[in-house]
Amino acid sequence: MIVAPWTVAVLVAGGFGLLIGSFLNVVVYRVPAGLSVARPASACPGCSTPIRRRDNVPVVSWLALGGKCRDCRTSISARYPIVELATGLFFVLVAARLWPLTDVPTEALPLVSRLLSLVAFLWLAGISVALAVIDLEHHRLPNAIVLPSYVVGGVLLAASSILVGDWSALVRAAIGLTSLFAFYLIAALSYPGGMGFGDVKLAGVLGLYLAWLGWGEFAVGAFAAFLLGGVFAVVLLVTRRVQRTGGIPFGPWMLAGAWVGVFAGGTVATAYLTLLGLA
């Protein structure tokens, strides 16, 4: 039986995403606690028994064990398979966006360039999941995740652009990083209680990625964060889930808005400019 290339691509991206999702569960638990993500090996929080390899298969093991530890039967949070599934799906969508099978380069340099950009955005997808969960649970965006992303994203996207001589993308990325960082910094200094410096540092990373794709993606991604976060805040206030002085983590909405920009920014921006008669 011949398997279609699209099916192979989906399986590879999804499988890789599931594995990364399993690791992200470790990141989400250990990084806020200041623990190493490499050692010791994962263990049951109830009885401290190391997790067996056969019990560490993403999603499948949790289902097979009924969401409980094999040894002490302590319940294991459903967050673990949810993170794994979400990351697997996320990776499939990112691969489809950055490497559509209808447009696969045949020459070496464009092929490597496309691969480097794909890896860069898969990195962004992975940290997006981890940061969103951590910010929701701890109201923090750890430097240990955010700051290395400047280096990883910057190096991979710069290399991708240099290989094909796309210098305009590099200029956009630098402007996007600087401008969005500066905007959030001004907001944080003007209203300290409403914006954290973790948000400021994350803004630079998102500006880098969005502007590298294009100004449409940058504009839509930056605006969508405030639109989505504002709508969510209004819903919480109306339903009295939070008081006006209550803190609402903004990091997840920054990330959600950025991905709206990645997936739909170009289309939305073009439609808006066309409506205004500017395109």
Side-chain angles (χ1 to χ4, degrees), residues 75-143:
S75 294
I76 301 172
S77 173
R79 187 195 73 193
Y80 289 90
I82 291 173
V83 167
E84 291 163 354
L85 280 172
T87 308
L89 177 59
F90 210 167
F91 273 40
V92 169
L93 295 175
V94 171
R97 166 65 175 86
L98 272 295
W99 201 320
L101 295 183
T102 56
D103 182 27
V104 178
T106 56
E107 297 181 2
L109 290 182
L111 185 64
V112 175
S113 172
R114 185 74 65 84
L115 179 60
L116 289 173
S117 64
L118 174 60
V119 173
F121 278 87
L122 289 178
W123 170 276
L124 181 62
I127 68 163
S128 294
V129 174
L131 289 173
V133 176
I134 291 173
D135 203 17
L136 288 170
E137 292 186 352
H138 303 280
H139 289 207
R140 288 179 54 202
L141 294 169
N143 287 336

Side-chain angles (χ1 to χ4, degrees), residues 19-112:
L19 293 175
I20 294 298
S22 181
F23 174 70
L24 291 180
N25 278 316
V26 177
V27 172
V28 166
Y29 175 77
R30 296 188 183 186
V31 169
L35 303 174
S36 169
V37 298
R39 297 179 181 178
S42 298
C44 171
C47 63
S48 299
T49 302
I51 303 298
R52 299 168 178 82
R53 289 187 178 180
R54 69 175 183 273
D55 294 338
N56 210 22
V57 180
V59 181
V60 175
S61 293
W62 189 89
L63 293 173
L65 293 171
K68 298 180 183 295
C69 171
R70 181 183 294 274
D71 297 284
C72 69
R73 307 308 294 168
T74 295
S75 294
I76 301 172
S77 173
R79 187 195 73 193
Y80 289 90
I82 291 173
V83 167
E84 291 163 354
L85 280 172
T87 308
L89 177 59
F90 210 167
F91 273 40
V92 169
L93 295 175
V94 171
R97 166 65 175 86
L98 272 295
W99 201 320
L101 295 183
T102 56
D103 182 27
V104 178
T106 56
E107 297 181 2
L109 290 182
L111 185 64
V112 175

Side-chain angles (χ1 to χ4, degrees), residues 195-216:
M195 187 76 67
F197 282 96
D199 298 329
V200 176
K201 286 173 276 193
L202 177 60
V205 175
L206 300 180
L208 165 73
Y209 275 89
L210 288 168
W212 184 85
L213 285 174
W215 291 124

Side-chain angles (χ1 to χ4, degrees), residues 119-180:
V119 173
F121 278 87
L122 289 178
W123 170 276
L124 181 62
I127 68 163
S128 294
V129 174
L131 289 173
V133 176
I134 291 173
D135 203 17
L136 288 170
E137 292 186 352
H138 303 280
H139 289 207
R140 288 179 54 202
L141 294 169
N143 287 336
I145 299 175
V146 176
L147 296 184
S149 299
Y150 281 93
V151 178
V152 175
V155 169
L156 289 173
L157 295 178
S160 175
S161 295
I162 292 170
L163 283 175
V164 293
D166 188 2
W167 304 107
S168 61
L170 286 181
V171 174
R172 285 198 312 270
I175 296 174
L177 185 159
T178 305
S179 60
L180 203 58

Side-chain angles (χ1 to χ4, degrees), residues 5 7-8 16 55 96 102 209 214 217 227 235 255 260-261 263 269-270 272:
T7 303
V8 174
F16 184 58
D55 294 338
T102 56
Y209 275 89
E217 287 83 352
L227 177 63
V235 170
L255 293 162
V260 170
F263 288 116
T270 299
Y272 181 70

